[in-house]
Amino acid sequence: MNKNIVILGTQWGDEGKGKIVDYLSTNSSYVVRYHGGHNAGHTLVLNGKKIVLHLIPSGLLHPKVIGIISNGVVISVSELVKEIEMLKRNNFFIENRLFISDAASLILPFHITMDIVREKKLGVNAIGTTGRGIGPAYEDKIARRSLRIGDLKNEKNLSIKLKKIVNYYNDQLLSIYKHKPFDYHLILKDLLEAKNIINDMITDTTIMLHDAIENKKIIIFEGAQGSFLDIDHGTYPYVTSSNSTIGGVITGTGVGPKNIDYILGVTKAYSTRVGNGPFPTELFNSIDSYLSKKGNEFGSTTGRKRRTGWLDGVALRYAVKLNSLSALCITKLDVLDDLKEIKICIAYQNVNTLEIYHNISFSNLENIQPIYETYTGWMEQTSGIKKIEELPKAAKNYIKCIEKIAGIPVHIISTGPDRNDTILVKNIFL
Ligand code: GDP
Ligand code: IMO
Ligand code: MG
């Protein structure tokens, strides 16, 4: 059966999407990154060996999988080339297996500088971006002045377009931020060097995907970030600049909604957020230190400490609706192993009006405080467990409660960072 799957995050990113994409890729022919850029950091662990991917689809460690970086992604070609080389050094060869959309917009050095200087100027009001130029690159895309991957193919046009946009940024960087100007010759030289390496990968990935669908190939669409970092549905303005909810798959690839058969929401057994912005269930006590240490909650891209909190059931229910989720994958269950008590937020209360909300939009979370339900911890080791029957009773109960709160089943449980530390509750390819 042709079963095309979307795997996306239901929280604020870093849910463990990369691990699950890698795990499920055994059954797929194609894996597609469809939005975001190298702000993502997806960690894969294979027999103890750790690989962090930022742009390259997480299925590519499987030697027969074809990877696609589609039109919705913003691409720094120099970062892409670095990642290809990193994989080579680790004996993963992706020649003839990675394809890049000619319609994807480029991230260029001045986008990164602009991201950084703007954040600096915002001071305490900064978004806490990854500093990878994501916002400015998407701005250019929407303003219709982007250079796209396809532009690399025509050196003369590339040079003309690049000169124009470098001037545009230099004017702003100099007048507003007193930043030294960029030399377009140097950027052009770097682009042409990178182009030599990726030239044969550049193609119309939309047509490629349509062909794959006609040929009944199985495709995994790999989400980056998480639902509440979505530019429209997240905690605006503390969000990223793309649609990390389900719509991003459609616009970011050119594949229609009828070609998606199953949507898996990856949910950490607790919550984390890196960067600034609302986080209703955030913890500031010894539980934060515990989750941070036991869960190794430090950013895969920037190394920043992730903020931690209890699982937010209100947010999860909202993510289920925003994304039409078919089922959930619960990750990092093992991180809760040593806790006597575990909490889930089941509703929000407005501290002024005392009104209670079971469903709420994430665009306005002012004056909201969480109402919790408390569960008994299992106080036993679950790390590495591969069968649901082997989970302690209290852990199974915790999963059941999540299913009830979310209103959808849990099909996968992750009990450790390694590909094999996984419980397949239901074979989703059947
Ligand atoms: P992504 O951005 O959603 O792919 O997630 P990240 O890779 O940024 O962060 C997830 C972190 O948790 C990584 O360090 C993973 O190796 C690790 N991880 C994933 N699943 C599990 C799990 O079930 N248990 C534990 N202990 N670690 C996990
Ligand atoms: P993965 O795919 C966690 C956050 C940043 C910041 C906000 C905007 O690994 O889950 P940006 O650089 O995108 O303009 O930053 O979004 N952010 C992420 N947080 N995981 C990610 O990706 C993220 N990508 C961006 O920390 O709060
Ligand atoms: Mg990550």
Side-chain angles (χ1 to χ4, degrees):
M1 187 196 166
N2 178 25
K3 200 150 190 180
N4 298 327
I5 294 176
V6 178
I7 298 174
L8 52 76
T10 64
Q11 294 158 312
W12 284 275
D14 302 326
E15 296 91 347
K17 300 173 293 292
K19 173 198 154 156
I20 300 304
V21 170
D22 171 60
Y23 171 75
L24 289 175
S25 293
T26 323
N27 296 290
S28 77
S29 301
Y30 290 79
V31 179
V32 187
R33 262 293 303 275
Y34 56 88
H35 76 106
H38 65 297
N39 49 349
H42 295 180
T43 314
L44 321 179
V45 182
L46 252 147
N47 304 320
K49 190 180 172 116
K50 179 171 149 180
I51 300 274
V52 182
L53 296 175
H54 302 284
L55 271 170
I56 291 183
S58 297
L60 278 192
L61 301 197
H62 297 268
K64 286 193 181 145
V65 169
I66 294 173
I68 289 182
I69 303 177
S70 63
N71 58 280
V73 179
V74 281
I75 303 177
S76 156
V77 285
S78 54
E79 291 301 319
L80 179 61
V81 167
K82 270 191 219 159
E83 212 164 303
I84 294 170
E85 282 164 1
M86 178 278 289
L87 282 180
K88 252 191 215 156
R89 281 195 306 278
N90 284 282
N91 295 320
F92 293 104
F93 300 98
I94 57 163
E95 271 84 19
N96 308 318
R97 294 201 291 129
L98 179 65
F99 296 90
I100 308 161
S101 168
D102 52 6
S105 292
L106 292 180
I107 295 185
L108 293 162
F110 39 80
H111 292 131
I112 292 169
T113 300
M114 190 55 105
D115 191 359
I116 293 167
V117 295
R118 273 188 190 156
E119 281 281 278
K120 203 167 161 202
K121 193 157 188 170
L122 280 170
V124 288
N125 297 317
I127 290 163
T129 71
T130 58
R132 300 300 193 263
I134 305 295
Y138 275 117
E139 263 174 59
D140 280 355
K141 173 175 176 165
I142 300 302
R144 296 161 293 186
R145 60 173 168 256
S146 270
L147 265 70
R148 310 208 297 180
I149 288 282
D151 289 322
L152 298 175
K153 295 256 181 189
N154 182 331
E155 196 174 323
K156 192 165 163 232
N157 275 348
L158 175 70
S159 165
I160 294 167
K161 284 187 184 174
L162 183 65
K163 194 168 200 172
K164 212 163 138 190
I165 198 162
V166 169
N167 286 338
Y168 172 83
Y169 273 94
N170 277 346
D171 283 350
Q172 289 180 57
L173 283 169
L174 194 68
S175 62
I176 306 173
Y177 302 99
K178 312 290 171 230
H179 194 278
K180 70 175 184 342
F182 280 90
D183 178 347
Y184 104 101
H185 293 99
L186 292 179
I187 301 176
L188 184 63
K189 182 175 156 282
D190 288 347
L191 279 178
L192 292 174
E193 266 172 35
K195 182 219 152 194
N196 283 339
I197 297 168
I198 64 167
N199 193 41
D200 293 344
M201 303 175 188
I202 303 173
T203 188
D204 181 335
T205 56
T206 301
I207 295 295
M208 227 183 132
L209 285 168
H210 291 170
D211 287 347
I213 288 165
E214 263 172 39
N215 289 315
K216 307 248 179 288
K217 301 287 185 197
I218 293 177
I219 306 167
I220 292 181
F221 298 94
E222 176 179 2
Q225 289 84 58
S227 295
F228 303 120
L229 289 173
D230 182 281
I231 183 75
D232 286 288
H233 302 290
T235 48
Y236 193 89
Y238 298 97
V239 291
T240 191
S241 298
S242 67
N243 283 114
S244 41
T245 52
I246 190 70
V249 182
I250 311 303
T251 52
T253 62
V255 163
K258 285 184 189 160
N259 295 122
I260 295 171
D261 304 297
Y262 178 95
I263 307 162
L264 183 69
V266 183
T267 305
K268 212 177 265 193
Y270 48 98
S271 303
T272 62
R273 171 165 204 166
V274 60
N276 302 330
F279 184 5
T281 63
E282 185 166 14
L283 291 163
F284 298 97
N285 52 17
S286 59
I287 309 278
D288 166 50
S289 321
Y290 168 86
L291 292 172
S292 188
K293 191 160 176 243
K294 176 112 180 165
N296 189 24
E297 294 298 353
F298 296 89
S300 316
T301 297
T302 57
R304 289 178 291 175
K305 180 190 176 302
R306 295 172 183 151
R307 299 153 68 192
T308 70
W310 295 118
L311 182 63
D312 187 335
V314 179
L316 182 57
R317 249 192 319 265
Y318 192 46
V320 170
K321 289 181 187 165
L322 282 176
N323 296 297
S324 293
L325 294 184
S326 314
L328 295 177
C329 162
I330 303 298
T331 59
K332 305 191 92 160
L333 188 71
D334 55 297
V335 174
L336 304 182
D337 282 356
D338 307 330
L339 293 175
K340 273 199 194 110
E341 281 187 339
I342 300 166
K343 294 185 185 190
I344 300 183
C345 162
I346 48 150
Y348 290 160
Q349 183 164 38
N350 183 305
V351 288
N352 297 329
T353 64
L354 303 186
E355 225 175 322
I356 293 196
Y357 305 96
H358 288 92
N359 297 297
I360 190 169
S361 148
F362 259 53
S363 54
N364 184 2
L365 292 173
E366 256 174 58
N367 304 320
I368 285 301
Q369 89 181 6
I371 298 176
Y372 290 108
E373 212 158 70
T374 304
Y375 306 89
T376 313
W378 41 95
M379 304 285 284
E380 259 182 72
Q381 194 177 316
T382 64
S383 45
I385 288 185
K386 295 170 183 60
K387 289 186 187 150
I388 184 99
E389 309 82 75
E390 288 171 13
L391 282 182
K393 201 166 155 215
K396 276 193 262 189
N397 182 53
Y398 187 64
I399 298 288
K400 273 218 180 81
C401 291
I402 296 175
E403 287 182 323
K404 203 162 151 217
I405 288 165
I408 55 169
V410 169
H411 282 174
I412 301 180
I413 301 164
S414 175
T415 57
D418 203 279
R419 187 192 275 173
N420 299 316
D421 300 336
T422 312
I423 301 172
L424 192 60
V425 181
K426 183 177 180 292
N427 188 345
I428 63 183
F429 290 100
L430 293 180

